[in-house]
């Protein structure tokens, strides 16, 4: 994307191994951690195999992304350029569209997440405006939007980049806090014997996929790395750490709350406990630190829709465009206030496509005259696996969103 291309000129080849590793961890370990217990409770213990399989497929797709870039290092710097190199302008447009929709809905999910957690802490807060009563969750969604609004107007995001690195630390803080609540908060760990729930597998599969959807960020990390031959190690360490964190959170949360687990584990935690408050507030701060950085790629892409303004984009136009994007996300978050179902849809339809299907198909096209037949057959297996996630997960998620939306607005 345009943001990525702009960043390359100043950052290419300067980033050390450990900084790249930290940035990679920050990209892979995200708010999906909060939904891991809900995913496990939906599908049962055997779906942990799916979690490992999706992590492995995403890791391998990341390796293929690196290989695609190695085919023409001077020409391929961004994720969209991989699509263009493989399939021309159509490929670039498809990849850009998938990325835009993916990030747009992830940010919308952040607003829902913030609204849910703050409403859980302060259930009695409502907004009364000119005779209109706005519910607690909706009120907090709008308040959070107003808080992040000035940050998305910034053009120099280097300061926010430093703030966003707290994402890795906050993930571990949440994990330790939940463990503390289970051990010393009086909840304990129960024995759950749901081995496999066929009806819940699509939901579990989609949420696992959403949590491993960092592949579109990898071209930026790879291009900026000083010693690029170490990038495979960065991916391996990153995915191993993420898989361990997600698996630990899934098991702990499921043993603590069983089938009563909500879409975010923070909604189940007793709010009067200090460790619970630490987990909830950390979960609240994390999306805020990443919001502006994640908004920039879709804002940059949206600017290309207005070629008249793109060459000499005015400051006021940029502010108007970013504000409009945020307003539309607030509207979507209020209409569809179901974090688990929305993230399941994003994971199934967009994350699986962007993080597995696209890099695999692009690599197969770019290296059609090279490579071993066995490896290509293995890659096609991964492609089929991702397409299954897309079809089954999207159908189940849409059905769940429609059902919950009708039920929510009928009350």
């Amino acid at each position: 994307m345009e943001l990525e291309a702009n960043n390359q000129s100043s950052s290419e080849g300067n980033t050390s191994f450990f900084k790249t590793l930290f940035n990679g961890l920050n990209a892979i370990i995200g708010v999906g951690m909060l939904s891991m217990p809900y995913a496990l409770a939906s599908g049962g213990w055997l779906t942990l195999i799916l979690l490992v399989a999706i992590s492995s497929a995403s890791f391998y797709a990341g390796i293929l992304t690196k290989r695609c870039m190695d085919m023409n290092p001077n020409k391929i710097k961004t994720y969209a350029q991989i699509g263009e190199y493989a399939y021309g302008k159509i490929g670039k447009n498809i990849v850009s569209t998938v990325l835009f929709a993916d990030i747009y809905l992830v940010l919308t999910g952040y607003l829902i997440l913030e609204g849910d957690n703050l409403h859980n802490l302060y259930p009695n807060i409502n907004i009364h405006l000119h005779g209109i009563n706005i519910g607690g969750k909706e009120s907090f969604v709008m308040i959070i939007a107003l808080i992040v609004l000035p940050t998305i107007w910034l053009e120099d995001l280097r300061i926010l980049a430093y703030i966003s690195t707290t994402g890795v630390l906050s993930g571990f803080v949440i994990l330790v806090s939940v463990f503390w609540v289970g051990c010393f908060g009086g909840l304990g760990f129960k024995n759950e014997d749901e081995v496999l729930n066929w009806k819940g597998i699509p939901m579990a599969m989609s949420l696992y996929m959403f949590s491993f959807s960092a592949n579109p960020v990898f071209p930026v990390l790879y291009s900026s790395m000083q010693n690029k031959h170490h990038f495979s190690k960065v991916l391996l360490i990153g995915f191993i750490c993420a898989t361990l964190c997600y698996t630990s959170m899934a098991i702990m949360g499921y043993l603590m709350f069983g089938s009563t687990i909500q879409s975010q584990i923070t909604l189940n935690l007793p709010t009067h406990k200090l460790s619970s408050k630490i987990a909830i507030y950390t979960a609240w701060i994390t999306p805020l630190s990443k919001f502006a950085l994640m908004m920039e790629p879709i804002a940059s892409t949206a600017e290309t829709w207005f070629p008249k303004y793109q060459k000499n984009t005015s400051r006021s136009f940029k502010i108007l465009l970013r504000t409009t994007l945020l307003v539309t996300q607030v509207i979507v978050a209020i209409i569809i206030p179901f974090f688990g179902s929305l993230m399941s849809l994003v994971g199934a339809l967009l994350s699986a496509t962007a993080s597995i299907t696209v890099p695999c198909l692009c690599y197969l096209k770019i290296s059609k005259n090279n490579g071993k037949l066995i490896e290509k057959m293995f890659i096609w297996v991964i492609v089929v696996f991702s397409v299954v996630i897309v079809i089954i997960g999207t159908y189940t998620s849409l059905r769940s969103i429609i059902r919950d939306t009708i039920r929510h607005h009928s009350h």
Side-chain angles (χ1 to χ4, degrees):
M1 286 185 155
E2 288 70 24
L3 169 71
E4 299 171 348
N6 293 338
N7 284 345
Q8 293 313 312
S9 59
S10 61
S11 63
E12 184 160 4
N14 295 328
T15 312
S16 66
F17 172 83
F18 287 105
K19 286 183 179 178
T20 306
L21 175 61
F22 197 81
N23 287 333
L25 284 168
N26 192 33
I28 299 170
I29 301 175
V31 296
M33 179 186 290
L34 303 178
S35 295
M36 288 297 98
Y38 180 70
L40 182 57
S42 297
W45 288 111
L46 285 181
T47 59
L48 289 175
I49 299 173
L50 270 177
L51 188 152
V52 175
I54 289 171
S55 173
S56 303
S58 300
F59 163 71
Y60 189 71
I63 297 294
L64 296 183
T65 299
K66 171 186 174 297
R67 290 187 190 174
C68 286
M69 297 182 71
D70 287 339
M71 297 287 183
N72 195 333
N74 295 323
K75 192 172 182 180
I76 306 175
K77 302 288 186 184
T78 70
Y79 203 63
Q81 286 172 350
I82 293 175
E84 184 178 22
Y85 191 78
Y87 296 100
K89 214 164 202 177
I90 294 176
K92 181 181 180 181
N93 291 337
I94 290 174
V95 172
S96 296
T97 301
V98 170
L99 285 183
F100 182 91
D102 189 9
I103 297 174
Y104 180 91
L105 289 176
V106 167
L107 289 176
T108 304
Y110 280 2
L111 293 175
I112 298 171
L113 171 77
E114 301 287 37
D116 285 347
N117 281 322
L118 288 174
H119 182 63
N120 188 38
L121 285 172
Y122 308 104
N124 298 321
I125 290 182
N126 292 285
I127 293 179
H128 302 279
L129 193 64
H130 299 294
I132 301 174
N133 182 36
I134 303 174
K137 289 184 182 180
E138 293 81 2
S139 300
F140 281 118
V141 166
M142 290 188 287
I143 290 170
I144 290 299
L146 288 173
I147 291 173
V148 301
L149 182 59
T151 67
I152 67 173
W153 291 342
L154 296 174
E155 291 188 62
D156 186 357
L157 298 180
R158 283 176 294 181
I159 298 174
L160 286 172
Y162 286 107
I163 298 173
S164 72
T165 57
T166 58
V168 177
L169 180 61
S170 64
F172 289 110
V173 170
I174 293 171
L175 193 64
V176 172
S177 300
V178 171
F179 175 75
W180 192 270
V181 173
C183 288
F184 308 105
L187 293 175
F189 299 102
K190 310 169 189 70
N191 183 23
E192 293 294 334
D193 56 1
E194 182 76 68
V195 178
L196 188 64
N197 177 20
W198 288 101
K199 290 183 179 179
I201 287 180
M203 176 67 77
M205 187 166 53
S206 301
L207 289 173
Y208 292 152
M209 186 65 250
F210 167 74
S211 301
F212 291 104
S213 58
N215 204 310
V217 180
F218 295 159
V220 182
L221 300 179
Y222 180 60
S223 294
S224 66
M225 195 171 186
Q226 196 168 20
N227 297 315
K228 292 180 172 55
H229 60 280
H230 287 152
F231 187 69
S232 297
K233 293 180 182 177
V234 169
L235 291 182
L236 181 62
I237 296 171
F239 275 98
I240 288 175
C241 290
T243 304
L244 290 173
C245 286
Y246 289 151
T247 304
S248 301
M249 179 63 84
I251 293 173
M252 282 194 301
Y254 187 38
L255 290 178
M256 286 167 65
F257 300 106
S259 58
T260 63
I261 191 74
Q262 297 191 52
S263 61
Q264 307 156 51
I265 189 172
T266 46
L267 299 179
N268 288 88
L269 299 177
T271 54
H272 62 281
K273 299 286 184 181
L274 177 61
S275 51
S276 297
K277 288 183 178 180
I278 292 173
I280 294 170
Y281 279 115
T282 305
W284 174 67
I285 294 169
T286 303
L288 291 182
S289 66
K290 297 182 179 183
F291 202 96
L293 288 170
M294 293 189 68
M295 174 66 86
E296 188 63 26
I298 65 172
S300 299
T301 301
E303 286 171 10
T304 65
W305 301 342
F306 304 93
K308 187 185 293 185
Y309 298 93
Q310 191 185 357
K311 288 184 180 179
N312 188 21
T313 305
S314 66
R315 179 91 175 113
S316 57
F317 175 74
K318 285 187 174 183
I319 291 175
L320 177 63
L321 185 63
R322 283 160 170 73
T323 304
T324 303
L325 285 170
L326 182 60
V327 169
T328 59
Q329 288 166 336
V330 169
I331 293 171
V332 174
I334 290 174
I335 294 174
I336 310 175
F338 315 111
F339 180 79
S341 298
L342 182 63
M343 292 304 96
S344 174
L345 175 63
V346 174
L349 179 59
L350 300 169
S351 298
T353 304
S355 289
I356 298 181
T357 314
V358 167
C360 286
L361 291 179
C362 286
Y363 178 77
L364 288 170
K365 181 69 164 61
I366 293 172
S367 65
K368 58 184 178 181
N369 297 323
N370 303 317
K372 298 177 181 178
L373 179 61
I374 295 177
E375 184 184 40
K376 290 187 176 182
M377 290 175 63
F378 177 68
I379 294 172
W380 274 113
V381 170
I382 296 176
V383 170
V384 172
F385 176 55
S386 67
V387 171
V388 169
I389 295 176
V390 170
I391 295 173
I392 298 177
T394 301
Y395 169 75
T396 306
S397 302
L398 281 175
R399 189 178 63 178
S400 176
I401 287 174
I402 292 170
R403 184 187 65 242
D404 291 344
T405 303
I406 293 174
R407 187 186 304 159
H408 176 76
H409 291 291
S410 64
H411 290 309

